Amino acid sequence: MPKHDDPTTALPGTDPGPTAAAPGGTGIGPTAAELGGTGPTAAELGGTGTGTDPEPTAAAPAPPPGLAHADPAQTRPAHAGPVHTGQAPAGRPSTASAAPTAPTAPAAPGYRAVFRVREFRVVFVAHLFSLLGVVVSELALTVLVYDLTRSPLLSSLTFALGFLPYLVGGTLLAGLTDRLPPRRILVVCDLLCAGCVALMVVPATPVALLLALRCAIAVVSPVFNGTRMATLADILGEGDLFVLGRSLLRIVSQSALLTGFAVGGVLLTVVPPRGALAVTAGTFLVSALLLRLGTARRPARGSGAADGGLSGTWAVLRNRRVRALMLMFWVPPLFAVVPEALAAPYADEIGVSTAALGLLMCALPVGTITGELLAGSFLSAAVRSRIVLPLAVTGVLPYLLYAPEPGVPLAAAALFLAGATGAYTLGLDAWFVAAVPEEQRGRAMTLMTAGMMTVQGIGMAGAGVAAEFAPVHAVVAGTGVLGTVCLLAAAAELRAAGAAGDRKARRG
């Protein structure tokens, strides 16, 4: 199974009550003024603003995000980022009577506050089971294909097939996430994955069908991921608890990259590859059962007549702010994966052991985990909002340390620093969930996660091609330069989109 936005098969969540009508207006994402300063305004992006934006307070319990909330607001500096208040941004209609109240954030929420929400605990445990299934099946299927064919190409193809179908599922099936009840989507996706893996266990299954089943799981994954992200906002709110919940799932996923393959390797010493795949099918079934019994049923966000296929995708992408935010999710991983893709060739280039190769492979995820934990534990929502662009645009600058063909310690330090800048995603998550209209949230998040997976595949392939013509250390260092230029351009577009939204709001 592929890496996912977290990066793993994402896991569901659902809110305690039905969703309500989406924010009013044109159906195109709210501007910074409408969001009460929660989006990336020109002041926030430039770091020089002095005005104030209306911001709701956390005075009372509120329904799930996307439902309206009470009106009282206070002003705060334009620099301040999105905070979880339990209230809707200014300018959104009130529909508080439409559903039971949802959990509100404490004054200073932290990771422990997220676990106080019962539904999130269920989602988190289901995520662990699904994650186990993804990692073990990924390894077991690769070993199985190699055992059957003795072909390194076909064995490596099992990994590549985890990326390519994301684009198909993310564009053509994204509309399902808003037109069907979210819990149904999540459970059915888990059951489909379990069924595909169960077919892989059958001894008579040919290699071609094994690869086709791998593709089928990858097609389903972006729908599952997008639905999970959207319903996580329903459970935790659109503010700080949502950001921290997303961060926890990412941390678990990154940790799986460090330990999951070791666990899978140990398992494969005890059982054959098909036996390991059978364990994987069981983990998907457990995840489906947890989600079915432990999360609330709620209706679809959008109407059944919502645009489907590419027309619905374009309806989301017409919003310049949403397009700019998606770019900020897509561009960093496009370049960040290059050193990982070339870790083995680089270790060979400098003549180090496989143990040193393992250190290079671990450095980036360890940095990512460290950065997220520090940002989520010690920084306020306002500070996390202010550091989004500085961290994002400098995220691949540490790769310049590869220029003199460094040894393992300096290369690992560069990867650790690059991973730590991934803390920008906490603030970016808050901006994104605030910018997307409720009725388009599932589709938008499906597109975002599908794009992230697709660009990772492109980045890995591009790195391999470049390394055919230039030394590995030069390719990685060049990535630091090219990536920084592209990130500066993406940040400029995001700032321009925020300024355009502010002007539109003032005219309105």
Side-chain angles (χ1 to χ4, degrees), residues 289-381:
L289 184 64
L290 286 170
L291 296 171
R292 176 61 182 81
L293 300 180
T295 59
R297 182 187 182 280
R298 48 188 62 81
R301 289 178 186 81
S303 67
D307 288 338
L310 296 178
S311 61
T313 298
W314 177 241
V316 173
L317 296 179
R318 277 199 301 265
N319 185 337
R320 184 181 181 185
R321 186 190 301 273
V322 172
R323 290 199 310 272
L325 288 168
M326 283 190 178
L327 278 177
M328 289 306 299
F329 277 109
W330 293 344
V331 177
L334 173 65
F335 298 100
V337 298
V338 170
E340 286 186 302
L342 299 178
Y346 185 68
D348 181 64
E349 181 179 288
I350 62 176
V352 297
S353 65
T354 53
L357 171 60
L359 178 61
L360 292 176
M361 294 295 291
C362 290
L364 192 67
V366 168
T368 301
I369 293 169
T370 302
E372 290 231 11
L373 281 174
L374 291 176
S377 300
F378 300 110
L379 300 183
S380 67

Side-chain angles (χ1 to χ4, degrees), residues 23-336:
T26 63
I28 298 176
T31 64
E34 290 165 339
L35 291 171
T38 61
T41 64
E44 289 166 339
L45 297 178
T48 59
T50 58
T52 58
D53 295 323
E55 180 77 0
T57 65
L67 304 183
H69 319 284
D71 290 326
Q74 65 182 46
T75 59
R76 62 181 178 87
H79 288 301
V83 295
H84 180 74
T85 63
Q87 296 177 334
R92 293 189 182 181
S94 176
T95 57
S97 61
T101 59
T104 55
Y111 286 116
R112 284 183 295 180
V114 180
F115 283 111
R116 296 192 189 107
V117 182
R118 185 196 65 81
E119 269 194 293
F120 178 80
R121 294 196 300 270
V122 173
V123 167
F124 186 81
V125 174
H127 181 70
L128 293 178
F129 275 100
S130 184
L131 180 60
L132 176 63
V134 167
V135 174
V136 173
S137 62
E138 201 168 65
L139 180 60
L141 183 60
T142 302
V143 173
L144 176 61
V145 170
Y146 184 74
D147 286 347
L148 292 174
T149 65
R150 312 310 296 180
S151 168
L153 174 61
L154 289 177
S155 180
S156 63
L157 189 60
T158 62
F159 280 101
L161 289 176
F163 288 95
L164 301 179
Y166 256 75
L167 187 60
V168 176
T171 54
L172 298 183
L173 303 180
L176 295 176
T177 57
D178 292 321
R179 297 208 304 270
L180 297 175
R183 186 176 69 178
R184 183 188 305 171
I185 295 174
L186 297 170
V187 172
V188 168
C189 285
D190 261 340
L191 293 177
L192 285 174
C193 290
C196 288
V197 175
L199 289 175
M200 295 177 185
V201 176
V202 178
T205 305
V207 172
L209 183 55
L210 289 175
L211 297 179
L213 292 169
R214 174 83 162 98
C215 287
I217 293 174
V219 168
V220 167
S221 293
V223 177
F224 187 78
N225 292 349
T227 304
R228 186 270 306 166
M229 282 182 63
T231 52
L232 194 64
D234 293 334
I235 294 174
L236 297 175
E238 296 180 6
D240 220 30
L241 287 186
F242 167 78
V243 169
L244 294 176
R246 282 272 294 146
S247 176
L248 277 172
L249 297 187
R250 278 196 301 266
I251 289 170
V252 169
S253 302
Q254 290 291 337
S255 300
L257 298 179
L258 301 177
T259 61
F261 287 116
V263 172
V266 171
L267 181 61
L268 287 171
T269 66
V270 180
V271 298
R274 293 190 192 275
L277 288 169
V279 171
T280 296
T283 61
F284 282 121
L285 290 175
V286 171
S287 175
L289 184 64
L290 286 170
L291 296 171
R292 176 61 182 81
L293 300 180
T295 59
R297 182 187 182 280
R298 48 188 62 81
R301 289 178 186 81
S303 67
D307 288 338
L310 296 178
S311 61
T313 298
W314 177 241
V316 173
L317 296 179
R318 277 199 301 265
N319 185 337
R320 184 181 181 185
R321 186 190 301 273
V322 172
R323 290 199 310 272
L325 288 168
M326 283 190 178
L327 278 177
M328 289 306 299
F329 277 109
W330 293 344
V331 177
L334 173 65
F335 298 100

